[in-house]
Amino acid sequence: MSLKFKDLLGLERLDKKDLQIILDSVKPFKSLFTKCGKMSDLSGKTVVTLFYEPSTRTRTSFEIAAKKLSADVVNIAVSNSSIVKGESLIDTGKTLEAMNADYIVIRHSLSGAPDMLARNLNVSIINAGDGFHEHPTQGLLDLYTIYERKKKIEGLKVLLVGDILHSRVAKSNIWALTKMGAEVLVAGPPTLIPSNIENLGVKVYYNLDEAVKNADVLNILRIQFERQQENLFPSLREYVRLYQLTKERLVAAKPEILIMHPGPMNRGIEISSEVADGPNVAINDQIVNGIAVRMAVLYLLKSTKKRRYASSN
Ligand code: CP
C-alpha cells in the first residue's frame, strides 16, 4: 500500500479512501513499536527534521518513528543553522535535497511554508504544523486514537474545545473527522471561533456545559497565546471559569466519554489536573499512537515517485 502523492501537507487534500488507508496501516506499526521491534523498510533513507518552532512530541516521535524503520535521522537546530544568517527557506530545502534527504519534516510559523517547499523540491515534505493552517499527523493520530477506542468514527460527536481560531490541530481534526463521517462540534469564546466555521460542517457552541452533554469525544485545545495579536477574552480567570474542563462539568457528560488533548497541556487553564489524570483520558494513547501514525506515514510515502537530486543532473 502507498499514498498517491509525494508529500503530506494537510488533511484537507486527502479523501476518505486515503484516510482509511492510513488508519488501516497503523496497527502493525503500533504492535511493532510496543514490542520494541524494528523494521528495515527505510534503511538507506534520510529523514531531516526542520523545526522553526518548538516541539516536544512531534519532533521526537518523528525521530523515533524514522529510527524504528531504520532510516537515518538528522535534526536541524534552526538557531544554530545558516537560517540565522538569512538563508531562505527554499535555499535551505535545496541544500538538504542536494544532501539526498528523502524526507523533510517541517514545522513553521507561516501557514503554507511546507506547501512552498513541496512545490520547489522533489523530496517528500511532511507538514509538522504550519501557522494556523494544519497539523496533519496530529489530526491523523487523533483520528486513530478515536477509532481504536470507539471502534468507529462514523456517527460520533466529537467536540473540540477552546482556541479553535489559532489551532492548526483543530483544522486537521475537522477535515479528517468530517470526511470520515463524524459530527464535529466546537465550543469556545466567540473571539476564538473563526467566523463561517459552520461552512466546514461544524456545529458551534459558546456554552461548554451545553456542548459537553452531547459529545462522545472531547478534544481539549491549548490557548495559543503565542499566536494572539491582541487580548481575545477579558481575563484568564474568566476563560477558566467558562471553558476549563473540570470534574464538575463532566458530571453531565456521557459516562463513556473519551477525553483527549494534543499537548502541550496547560494544567489549570483549559483542563484541570483532576481531569487530566482521571479516568476516560487517552492522552498517553495519543502519544504512543503518534509514533505509530508517523511510522505509517513515512512508510506510505516511501514508494511515491521522487527524483534524487544527483540523478536529475
Ligand atoms: N501536539 C504537538 O504538536 O506537540 P508539540 O508541540 O510538542 O510537538
Side-chain angles (χ1 to χ4, degrees):
M1 263 196 301
S2 67
L3 291 169
K4 55 185 181 283
F5 19 74
K6 86 172 174 66
D7 312 292
L8 178 65
L9 302 173
L11 302 185
E12 180 180 2
R13 303 166 192 221
L14 270 58
D15 59 26
K16 186 174 178 179
K17 197 167 149 227
D18 300 322
L19 292 167
Q20 195 62 54
I21 288 174
I22 298 170
L23 283 184
D24 291 343
S25 307
V26 177
K27 198 171 174 183
F29 290 111
K30 181 164 181 180
S31 172
L32 183 84
F33 172 71
T34 52
K35 290 180 186 145
C36 300
K38 201 163 169 165
M39 283 166 69
S40 56
D41 286 70
L42 293 193
S43 176
K45 305 272 183 198
T46 302
V47 177
V48 178
T49 68
L50 179 62
F51 277 52
Y52 289 77
E53 287 189 337
S55 167
T56 300
R57 281 146 285 270
T58 312
R59 203 206 56 71
T60 311
S61 65
F62 264 113
E63 180 169 355
I64 293 171
K67 285 180 171 168
K68 286 282 170 196
L69 297 173
S70 302
D72 297 316
V73 181
V74 178
N75 296 308
I76 305 229
V78 166
S79 57
N80 288 333
S81 72
S82 290
I83 291 159
V84 293
K85 299 179 197 164
E87 187 171 66
S88 74
L89 178 61
I90 291 180
D91 284 339
T92 300
K94 288 192 167 162
T95 302
L96 299 174
E97 185 167 65
M99 293 173 176
N100 274 338
D102 296 282
Y103 302 82
I104 299 175
V105 179
I106 176 172
R107 172 170 288 187
H108 204 287
S109 58
L110 292 178
S111 299
D115 192 84
M116 188 173 71
L117 269 192
R119 279 185 277 110
N120 284 279
L121 303 177
N122 297 310
V123 48
S124 274
I125 305 298
I126 301 178
N127 179 4
D130 62 329
F132 303 176
H133 175 229
E134 281 219 44
H135 188 348
T137 54
Q138 181 70 48
L140 290 170
L141 77 89
D142 290 344
L143 188 73
Y144 184 78
T145 303
I146 297 170
Y147 187 58
E148 184 178 59
R149 286 287 197 108
K150 297 283 186 189
K151 310 294 174 219
K152 62 173 188 175
I153 300 288
E154 192 157 354
L156 291 177
K157 287 184 164 59
V158 181
L159 172 62
L160 311 177
V161 182
D163 186 356
I164 312 297
L165 180 66
H166 301 102
S167 173
R168 50 201 180 202
V169 174
K171 313 302 178 334
S172 290
N173 266 252
I174 291 169
W175 288 119
L177 288 162
T178 52
K179 282 171 204 265
M180 296 305 286
E183 189 180 336
V184 179
L185 323 174
V186 298
T191 48
L192 293 182
I193 301 217
S195 53
N196 302 326
I197 196 163
E198 291 93 340
N199 295 347
L200 300 181
V202 167
K203 191 166 180 188
V204 177
Y205 288 83
Y206 300 116
N207 182 317
L208 180 56
D209 295 299
E210 274 303 308
V212 162
K213 278 192 257 178
N214 293 316
D216 300 295
V217 179
L218 299 180
N219 202 354
I220 311 298
L221 306 172
R222 182 176 67 87
I223 300 176
Q224 314 247 320
F225 289 109
E226 72 278 20
R227 298 189 203 289
Q228 294 186 12
Q229 309 297 321
E230 56 193 319
N231 289 337
L232 291 171
F233 44 85
S235 72
L236 205 49
R237 187 182 296 188
E238 181 175 284
Y239 184 86
V240 166
R241 185 172 64 78
L242 295 174
Y243 295 106
Q244 184 184 99
L245 188 67
T246 58
K247 209 173 141 202
E248 293 71 32
R249 277 214 155 91
L250 282 174
V251 170
K254 295 180 183 175
E256 67 284 4
I257 194 153
L258 182 66
I259 300 165
M260 311 204 310
H261 192 306
M265 190 161 46
N266 290 135
R267 287 170 182 264
I269 299 181
E270 69 271 8
I271 189 166
S272 72
S273 270
E274 223 176 1
V275 172
D277 300 327
N280 298 11
V281 171
I283 296 172
N284 278 345
D285 290 8
Q286 286 174 276
I287 294 166
V288 174
N289 289 340
I291 293 171
V293 161
R294 288 169 180 127
M295 287 171 80
V297 166
L298 290 167
Y299 176 84
L300 291 167
L301 291 176
K302 179 180 86 133
S303 13
T304 53
K305 290 247 178 311
K306 288 182 274 280
R307 207 154 40 97
R308 302 286 290 191
Y309 186 84
S311 64
S312 66
N313 288 301

